[in-house]
Amino acid sequence: MDPLVARMRPFGTTIFAEMSALAVRTGSVNLGQGFPDTDGPPEMLEAAVAAIMGGRNQYPPGPGVPELRRAIAAHQRRYWDLDYDPDGEVLVTAGATEAIAASILALCEAGDEVVCFEPYYDSYAASIALAGAVRRPVTLRAGHDGYTFDPDQLRAAFGPRTKMVLLNSPHNPTGKVFTPSELALIALLCQQHDVVAVTDEVYEHMVFDGAHTPLATLPGMRERTVRISSAGKSFSCTGWKVGWVSGPAPLVSAVLRVKQFLTYVNAGPQQPAVAVALGLPDSYFDGLAASLRDKRDRLCAGLADAGFEVFRPEGTYFVTADITPLGGTDGVDFCRALPDRCGVVAVPTQVFYDHPDAGRHLIRFAFCKRDEVLDEAVARLRKLAAA
Ligand code: PMP
Ligand code: GLN
Protein backbone atom coordinates (compact mmCIF):
# COMPACT_ATOMS: atom_id res chain seq x y z
CA MET A 1 0.00 0.00 0.00
CA ASP A 2 1.23 3.49 -0.83
CA PRO A 3 2.06 5.25 2.46
CA LEU A 4 1.66 8.67 0.79
CA VAL A 5 -1.42 10.69 1.77
CA ALA A 6 -4.13 10.47 -0.87
CA ARG A 7 -4.08 14.16 -1.70
CA MET A 8 -0.44 13.95 -2.84
CA ARG A 9 -0.73 10.70 -4.82
CA PRO A 10 -1.48 12.40 -8.13
CA PHE A 11 1.88 14.19 -7.91
CA GLY A 12 4.96 12.33 -9.12
CA THR A 13 8.55 13.61 -9.27
CA THR A 14 8.60 17.18 -10.60
CA ILE A 15 9.22 17.40 -14.32
CA PHE A 16 12.20 19.68 -13.61
CA ALA A 17 13.98 17.05 -11.54
CA GLU A 18 13.15 14.34 -14.08
CA MET A 19 14.43 16.37 -17.01
CA SER A 20 17.60 17.64 -15.27
CA ALA A 21 18.46 14.06 -14.30
CA LEU A 22 17.88 13.00 -17.92
CA ALA A 23 20.22 15.77 -19.10
CA VAL A 24 22.98 14.62 -16.73
CA ARG A 25 22.48 10.94 -17.62
CA THR A 26 22.62 11.56 -21.37
CA GLY A 27 25.16 14.41 -21.38
CA SER A 28 22.60 16.61 -23.14
CA VAL A 29 22.43 20.38 -23.36
CA ASN A 30 19.94 21.22 -20.60
CA LEU A 31 17.42 23.83 -21.70
CA GLY A 32 14.86 22.22 -19.39
CA GLN A 33 15.02 23.47 -15.80
CA GLY A 34 15.19 27.25 -15.53
CA PHE A 35 18.48 28.09 -13.88
CA PRO A 36 21.22 30.37 -15.22
CA ASP A 37 24.67 28.97 -15.97
CA THR A 38 26.52 32.08 -14.79
CA ASP A 39 26.74 33.61 -11.33
CA GLY A 40 24.94 36.68 -10.06
CA PRO A 41 26.43 40.09 -9.19
CA PRO A 42 29.89 39.87 -7.56
CA GLU A 43 28.91 42.45 -4.89
CA MET A 44 26.24 40.03 -3.69
CA LEU A 45 28.54 36.99 -3.74
CA GLU A 46 31.20 38.89 -1.79
CA ALA A 47 28.64 40.04 0.77
CA ALA A 48 27.57 36.41 1.33
CA VAL A 49 31.18 35.31 1.86
CA ALA A 50 31.69 38.22 4.27
CA ALA A 51 28.52 37.25 6.15
CA ILE A 52 29.67 33.64 6.50
CA MET A 53 33.17 34.67 7.60
CA GLY A 54 31.70 37.39 9.79
CA GLY A 55 29.75 34.97 11.94
CA ARG A 56 26.21 35.41 10.64
CA ASN A 57 25.61 31.70 10.64
CA GLN A 58 22.86 31.23 13.21
CA TYR A 59 19.08 31.51 12.90
CA PRO A 60 18.05 34.88 11.50
CA PRO A 61 14.91 36.51 12.97
CA GLY A 62 11.64 34.78 11.95
CA PRO A 63 10.46 37.46 9.49
CA GLY A 64 13.97 37.89 8.00
CA VAL A 65 17.00 40.05 8.82
CA PRO A 66 16.03 43.73 9.19
CA GLU A 67 18.37 45.02 6.45
CA LEU A 68 16.85 42.61 3.94
CA ARG A 69 13.28 43.54 4.89
CA ARG A 70 14.21 47.21 4.52
CA ALA A 71 15.87 46.53 1.15
CA ILE A 72 12.80 44.61 -0.10
CA ALA A 73 10.53 47.51 0.86
CA ALA A 74 12.87 50.11 -0.69
CA HIS A 75 13.17 48.12 -3.90
CA GLN A 76 9.39 47.94 -4.36
CA ARG A 77 9.06 51.66 -3.70
CA ARG A 78 11.78 52.35 -6.26
CA TYR A 79 10.43 50.14 -9.03
CA TRP A 80 6.70 49.91 -8.49
CA ASP A 81 5.83 52.82 -6.25
CA LEU A 82 4.47 50.36 -3.69
CA ASP A 83 4.91 51.18 -0.02
CA TYR A 84 5.31 48.37 2.50
CA ASP A 85 6.40 48.66 6.11
CA PRO A 86 9.51 46.47 6.56
CA ASP A 87 8.23 45.70 10.06
CA GLY A 88 5.02 43.74 9.59
CA GLU A 89 4.36 43.99 5.86
CA VAL A 90 7.43 42.12 4.57
CA LEU A 91 8.39 38.51 5.25
CA VAL A 92 11.46 36.60 4.02
CA THR A 93 10.80 33.00 2.93
CA ALA A 94 12.69 29.95 1.66
CA GLY A 95 12.29 30.95 -1.97
CA ALA A 96 9.07 31.88 -3.71
CA THR A 97 8.09 28.22 -3.40
CA GLU A 98 7.69 28.44 0.37
CA ALA A 99 5.97 31.82 0.03
CA ILE A 100 3.38 30.26 -2.30
CA ALA A 101 2.84 27.19 -0.12
CA ALA A 102 2.60 29.19 3.11
CA SER A 103 0.19 31.71 1.54
CA ILE A 104 -2.15 29.01 0.31
CA LEU A 105 -1.97 26.99 3.54
CA ALA A 106 -2.53 30.14 5.60
CA LEU A 107 -5.42 31.58 3.63
CA CYS A 108 -7.42 28.65 2.22
CA GLU A 109 -9.73 26.37 4.16
CA ALA A 110 -10.37 22.86 2.84
CA GLY A 111 -12.88 23.14 0.00
CA ASP A 112 -12.05 26.77 -0.82
CA GLU A 113 -11.42 27.45 -4.49
CA VAL A 114 -8.32 28.98 -6.04
CA VAL A 115 -8.53 30.52 -9.50
CA CYS A 116 -5.28 30.13 -11.43
CA PHE A 117 -4.16 30.18 -15.05
CA GLU A 118 -3.06 26.96 -16.72
CA PRO A 119 -0.40 26.05 -17.62
CA TYR A 120 0.70 26.82 -14.04
CA TYR A 121 3.98 26.47 -12.20
CA ASP A 122 3.93 22.94 -10.81
CA SER A 123 4.07 23.81 -7.11
CA TYR A 124 0.72 25.61 -7.34
CA ALA A 125 -1.29 22.45 -7.85
CA ALA A 126 0.58 20.61 -5.10
CA SER A 127 0.23 23.45 -2.57
CA ILE A 128 -3.48 23.82 -3.33
CA ALA A 129 -3.90 20.06 -2.86
CA LEU A 130 -1.97 20.09 0.44
CA ALA A 131 -4.38 22.74 1.72
CA GLY A 132 -7.34 20.58 0.67
CA ALA A 133 -8.42 23.46 -1.57
CA VAL A 134 -9.67 23.12 -5.14
CA ARG A 135 -8.09 24.68 -8.21
CA ARG A 136 -10.21 26.42 -10.84
CA PRO A 137 -7.94 26.75 -13.85
CA VAL A 138 -8.49 29.25 -16.65
CA THR A 139 -6.75 28.18 -19.84
CA LEU A 140 -4.11 30.25 -21.61
CA ARG A 141 -4.19 29.28 -25.29
CA ALA A 142 -1.30 29.75 -27.70
CA GLY A 143 -2.14 31.67 -30.87
CA HIS A 144 -0.77 34.25 -33.26
CA ASP A 145 -1.12 36.96 -30.59
CA GLY A 146 0.75 34.89 -28.03
CA TYR A 147 -1.13 33.39 -25.10
CA THR A 148 -4.61 34.70 -24.32
CA PHE A 149 -7.57 33.57 -22.23
CA ASP A 150 -11.30 33.80 -22.64
CA PRO A 151 -12.60 36.50 -20.27
CA ASP A 152 -15.86 34.58 -19.92
CA GLN A 153 -13.97 31.53 -18.70
CA LEU A 154 -12.31 33.74 -16.08
CA ARG A 155 -15.65 35.23 -14.99
CA ALA A 156 -17.18 31.75 -14.79
CA ALA A 157 -14.28 30.49 -12.64
CA PHE A 158 -15.35 32.79 -9.80
CA GLY A 159 -18.11 31.57 -7.51
CA PRO A 160 -19.25 31.51 -3.88
CA ARG A 161 -16.33 29.29 -2.77
CA THR A 162 -13.61 31.33 -4.49
CA LYS A 163 -11.06 32.38 -1.88
CA MET A 164 -8.01 33.28 -3.90
CA VAL A 165 -6.63 34.15 -7.30
CA LEU A 166 -3.09 32.93 -7.88
CA LEU A 167 -1.54 35.01 -10.64
CA ASN A 168 1.90 34.55 -12.14
CA SER A 169 3.01 37.41 -14.38
CA PRO A 170 5.45 37.40 -16.13
CA HIS A 171 4.26 33.85 -16.59
CA ASN A 172 6.11 30.56 -16.47
CA PRO A 173 6.05 28.54 -18.76
CA THR A 174 4.52 30.73 -21.50
CA GLY A 175 6.55 33.93 -21.07
CA LYS A 176 3.31 35.90 -21.17
CA VAL A 177 3.17 39.31 -19.49
CA PHE A 178 -0.46 39.98 -18.54
CA THR A 179 -1.79 43.15 -20.20
CA PRO A 180 -3.27 46.13 -18.34
CA SER A 181 -6.79 45.20 -19.47
CA GLU A 182 -6.36 41.58 -18.36
CA LEU A 183 -5.09 42.78 -14.98
CA ALA A 184 -8.01 45.20 -14.69
CA LEU A 185 -10.49 42.36 -15.21
CA ILE A 186 -8.75 40.19 -12.61
CA ALA A 187 -8.77 43.10 -10.15
CA LEU A 188 -12.46 43.79 -10.78
CA LEU A 189 -13.40 40.14 -10.18
CA CYS A 190 -11.28 39.98 -7.00
CA GLN A 191 -13.16 42.96 -5.61
CA GLN A 192 -16.60 41.85 -6.77
CA HIS A 193 -16.12 38.46 -5.12
CA ASP A 194 -14.05 39.68 -2.14
CA VAL A 195 -11.14 37.44 -3.05
CA VAL A 196 -7.46 37.60 -2.04
CA ALA A 197 -4.84 37.78 -4.81
CA VAL A 198 -1.52 36.01 -4.46
CA THR A 199 0.85 37.27 -7.14
CA ASP A 200 3.97 35.36 -8.09
CA GLU A 201 6.25 37.97 -9.63
CA VAL A 202 9.60 36.17 -9.59
CA TYR A 203 10.23 37.32 -13.19
CA GLU A 204 9.42 40.99 -12.43
CA HIS A 205 12.76 42.18 -13.86
CA MET A 206 12.64 40.03 -16.98
CA VAL A 207 10.30 41.79 -19.35
CA PHE A 208 11.34 42.38 -22.95
CA ASP A 209 8.22 43.78 -24.61
CA GLY A 210 5.68 45.92 -22.79
CA ALA A 211 5.97 46.47 -19.05
CA HIS A 212 5.30 44.57 -15.86
CA THR A 213 2.54 45.94 -13.67
CA PRO A 214 2.14 44.45 -10.20
CA LEU A 215 -1.54 43.66 -9.57
CA ALA A 216 -1.15 45.34 -6.15
CA THR A 217 -0.72 48.72 -7.88
CA LEU A 218 -4.27 48.63 -9.32
CA PRO A 219 -6.92 50.60 -7.39
CA GLY A 220 -8.34 48.60 -4.49
CA MET A 221 -5.79 45.80 -4.81
CA ARG A 222 -2.96 46.59 -2.38
CA GLU A 223 -5.13 45.72 0.61
CA ARG A 224 -6.06 42.30 -0.78
CA THR A 225 -2.81 41.23 -2.45
CA VAL A 226 0.01 39.03 -1.20
CA ARG A 227 2.91 39.86 -3.50
CA ILE A 228 5.70 37.28 -3.90
CA SER A 229 9.15 37.53 -5.42
CA SER A 230 12.53 35.88 -5.08
CA ALA A 231 16.25 36.53 -5.40
CA GLY A 232 16.79 33.34 -7.41
CA LYS A 233 15.82 34.83 -10.76
CA SER A 234 16.66 38.53 -10.27
CA PHE A 235 20.18 37.73 -9.05
CA SER A 236 20.93 34.39 -10.72
CA CYS A 237 21.16 32.47 -7.45
CA THR A 238 18.40 29.87 -7.69
CA GLY A 239 20.21 27.65 -5.16
CA TRP A 240 20.05 30.24 -2.39
CA LYS A 241 16.28 30.02 -1.99
CA VAL A 242 15.69 33.51 -0.67
CA GLY A 243 12.18 34.72 -1.45
CA TRP A 244 9.76 37.17 0.10
CA VAL A 245 6.16 38.14 0.66
CA SER A 246 4.81 41.70 0.86
CA GLY A 247 1.28 42.74 1.67
CA PRO A 248 -0.98 44.27 4.27
CA ALA A 249 -0.05 43.28 7.84
CA PRO A 250 -3.02 40.93 8.53
CA LEU A 251 -2.28 38.86 5.42
CA VAL A 252 1.49 38.80 5.95
CA SER A 253 1.09 37.86 9.58
CA ALA A 254 -1.21 34.97 8.59
CA VAL A 255 1.42 33.74 6.13
CA LEU A 256 4.14 34.06 8.81
CA ARG A 257 2.06 31.95 11.20
CA VAL A 258 2.28 29.02 8.77
CA LYS A 259 5.76 29.75 7.43
CA GLN A 260 7.29 29.56 10.94
CA PHE A 261 6.30 25.89 11.11
CA LEU A 262 7.46 24.98 7.61
CA THR A 263 11.10 26.10 7.68
CA TYR A 264 11.03 28.58 10.59
CA VAL A 265 13.88 30.50 8.85
CA ASN A 266 16.54 29.90 6.20
CA ALA A 267 19.59 31.32 4.42
CA GLY A 268 21.01 33.37 7.32
CA PRO A 269 24.20 34.54 5.59
CA GLN A 270 22.59 34.94 2.17
CA GLN A 271 19.90 37.29 3.47
CA PRO A 272 22.21 40.31 4.03
CA ALA A 273 23.82 39.60 0.65
CA VAL A 274 20.45 39.77 -1.11
CA ALA A 275 19.89 43.11 0.65
CA VAL A 276 23.04 44.37 -1.09
CA ALA A 277 21.82 43.05 -4.45
CA LEU A 278 18.40 44.71 -4.15
CA GLY A 279 20.18 48.04 -3.73
CA LEU A 280 22.24 47.72 -6.93
CA PRO A 281 21.81 50.57 -9.43
CA ASP A 282 19.25 50.47 -12.26
CA SER A 283 22.06 49.56 -14.66
CA TYR A 284 22.20 46.09 -13.08
CA PHE A 285 18.48 45.39 -13.60
CA ASP A 286 18.48 46.96 -17.09
CA GLY A 287 21.53 44.91 -18.02
CA LEU A 288 19.90 41.68 -16.86
CA ALA A 289 16.79 42.32 -18.98
CA ALA A 290 18.87 43.40 -22.01
CA SER A 291 21.04 40.31 -21.83
CA LEU A 292 18.02 38.02 -21.57
CA ARG A 293 16.26 39.85 -24.40
CA ASP A 294 19.24 39.05 -26.66
CA LYS A 295 19.16 35.44 -25.55
CA ARG A 296 15.43 35.24 -26.19
CA ASP A 297 15.95 36.55 -29.72
CA ARG A 298 18.85 34.18 -30.30
CA LEU A 299 16.95 31.09 -29.19
CA CYS A 300 13.66 32.06 -30.87
CA ALA A 301 15.45 32.53 -34.20
CA GLY A 302 17.32 29.22 -33.75
CA LEU A 303 14.19 27.27 -32.86
CA ALA A 304 12.31 28.68 -35.85
CA ASP A 305 15.24 27.71 -38.09
CA ALA A 306 15.16 24.23 -36.62
CA GLY A 307 11.52 23.91 -37.71
CA PHE A 308 9.49 24.66 -34.57
CA GLU A 309 6.59 27.08 -34.46
CA VAL A 310 7.78 29.54 -31.83
CA PHE A 311 5.60 31.57 -29.43
CA ARG A 312 7.81 34.54 -28.75
CA PRO A 313 7.71 35.33 -25.01
CA GLU A 314 7.38 38.88 -23.67
CA GLY A 315 9.24 38.02 -20.47
CA THR A 316 10.79 35.31 -18.21
CA TYR A 317 13.53 32.79 -18.98
CA PHE A 318 11.38 30.64 -21.25
CA VAL A 319 10.12 30.18 -24.79
CA THR A 320 7.45 27.68 -25.77
CA ALA A 321 7.29 26.01 -29.14
CA ASP A 322 4.87 23.83 -31.08
CA ILE A 323 6.32 20.45 -32.07
CA THR A 324 3.68 19.74 -34.74
CA PRO A 325 5.76 21.06 -37.69
CA LEU A 326 8.44 18.52 -36.74
CA GLY A 327 5.97 15.66 -36.73
CA GLY A 328 5.52 15.62 -32.95
CA THR A 329 2.12 15.12 -31.35
CA ASP A 330 2.86 14.59 -27.66
CA GLY A 331 5.31 16.84 -25.81
CA VAL A 332 6.09 14.29 -23.09
CA ASP A 333 7.07 11.62 -25.63
CA PHE A 334 8.95 14.22 -27.67
CA CYS A 335 10.96 15.50 -24.67
CA ARG A 336 11.76 12.00 -23.38
CA ALA A 337 13.11 11.05 -26.83
CA LEU A 338 14.92 14.34 -27.54
CA PRO A 339 18.21 13.52 -25.70
CA ASP A 340 18.66 10.34 -27.77
CA ARG A 341 17.60 12.01 -30.99
CA CYS A 342 19.84 15.07 -30.71
CA GLY A 343 21.26 15.61 -27.21
CA VAL A 344 18.97 18.41 -25.97
CA VAL A 345 16.61 18.55 -22.99
CA ALA A 346 13.39 20.59 -22.95
CA VAL A 347 10.26 20.45 -20.77
CA PRO A 348 6.79 19.37 -21.97
CA THR A 349 4.24 21.94 -20.80
CA GLN A 350 1.20 19.64 -20.85
CA VAL A 351 2.14 18.54 -17.33
CA PHE A 352 1.22 22.06 -16.15
CA TYR A 353 -2.42 21.82 -17.28
CA ASP A 354 -5.56 20.30 -15.83
CA HIS A 355 -6.66 20.06 -19.46
CA PRO A 356 -3.49 18.63 -21.03
CA ASP A 357 -4.97 18.66 -24.54
CA ALA A 358 -4.49 22.44 -24.58
CA GLY A 359 -0.73 21.94 -24.25
CA ARG A 360 -0.05 18.47 -25.62
CA HIS A 361 1.86 19.86 -28.63
CA LEU A 362 3.90 22.43 -26.67
CA ILE A 363 7.33 22.25 -25.11
CA ARG A 364 9.40 24.80 -23.20
CA PHE A 365 13.05 25.79 -23.63
CA ALA A 366 15.00 27.91 -21.11
CA PHE A 367 17.26 30.60 -22.61
CA CYS A 368 18.99 31.75 -19.38
CA LYS A 369 22.19 30.09 -20.64
CA ARG A 370 25.48 31.27 -22.12
CA ASP A 371 25.27 32.12 -25.84
CA GLU A 372 27.56 29.24 -26.81
CA VAL A 373 25.27 26.82 -24.97
CA LEU A 374 22.21 28.17 -26.81
CA ASP A 375 24.06 27.96 -30.13
CA GLU A 376 25.11 24.38 -29.45
CA ALA A 377 21.52 23.44 -28.57
CA VAL A 378 20.23 24.99 -31.79
CA ALA A 379 22.90 23.24 -33.87
CA ARG A 380 21.79 19.94 -32.37
CA LEU A 381 18.08 20.68 -32.82
CA ARG A 382 18.59 21.42 -36.50
CA LYS A 383 19.29 17.72 -36.97
CA LEU A 384 15.64 16.98 -36.18
CA ALA A 385 14.33 18.42 -39.44
CA ALA A 386 17.04 16.60 -41.40
CA ALA A 387 16.30 13.22 -39.74
N1 PMP B 1 7.26 30.66 -9.26
C1 PMP B 1 7.65 30.56 -10.53
C2 PMP B 1 6.72 31.03 -11.60
C3 PMP B 1 8.88 30.01 -10.86
O1 PMP B 1 9.24 29.88 -12.13
C4 PMP B 1 9.72 29.56 -9.83
C5 PMP B 1 11.05 28.97 -10.14
N2 PMP B 1 11.99 29.96 -9.93
C6 PMP B 1 9.29 29.70 -8.52
C7 PMP B 1 8.06 30.25 -8.27
C8 PMP B 1 10.12 29.23 -7.36
O2 PMP B 1 11.02 30.18 -6.95
P1 PMP B 1 12.09 29.84 -5.83
O3 PMP B 1 13.21 29.11 -6.50
O4 PMP B 1 12.49 31.19 -5.32
O5 PMP B 1 11.43 29.02 -4.80
N1 GLN C 1 11.40 27.55 -11.83
C1 GLN C 1 12.24 26.64 -12.53
C2 GLN C 1 11.61 26.25 -13.86
O1 GLN C 1 10.47 26.54 -14.11
C3 GLN C 1 12.52 25.35 -11.82
C4 GLN C 1 12.19 25.24 -10.40
C5 GLN C 1 12.20 23.81 -9.94
O2 GLN C 1 12.98 23.00 -10.39
N2 GLN C 1 11.30 23.51 -9.07
O3 GLN C 1 12.28 25.64 -14.63
Side-chain angles (χ1 to χ4, degrees), residues 14 16-17 32-35 97 121-122 172 203 233 318 347 364:
T14 88
F16 306 116
Q33 196 174 27
F35 61 89
T97 308
Y121 183 57
D122 67 348
N172 177 10
Y203 300 101
K233 301 292 145 77
F318 307 113
V347 165
R364 187 196 83 174

Side-chain angles (χ1 to χ4, degrees), residues 34 94-98 100 121 123-124 168 170-172 200 202-203 229-233 238 241-243 318 364:
T97 308
E98 187 194 35
I100 294 160
Y121 183 57
S123 84
Y124 295 5
N168 171 217
H171 182 263
N172 177 10
D200 175 348
V202 299
Y203 300 101
S229 194
S230 162
K233 301 292 145 77
T238 59
K241 299 296 288 188
V242 178
F318 307 113
R364 187 196 83 174

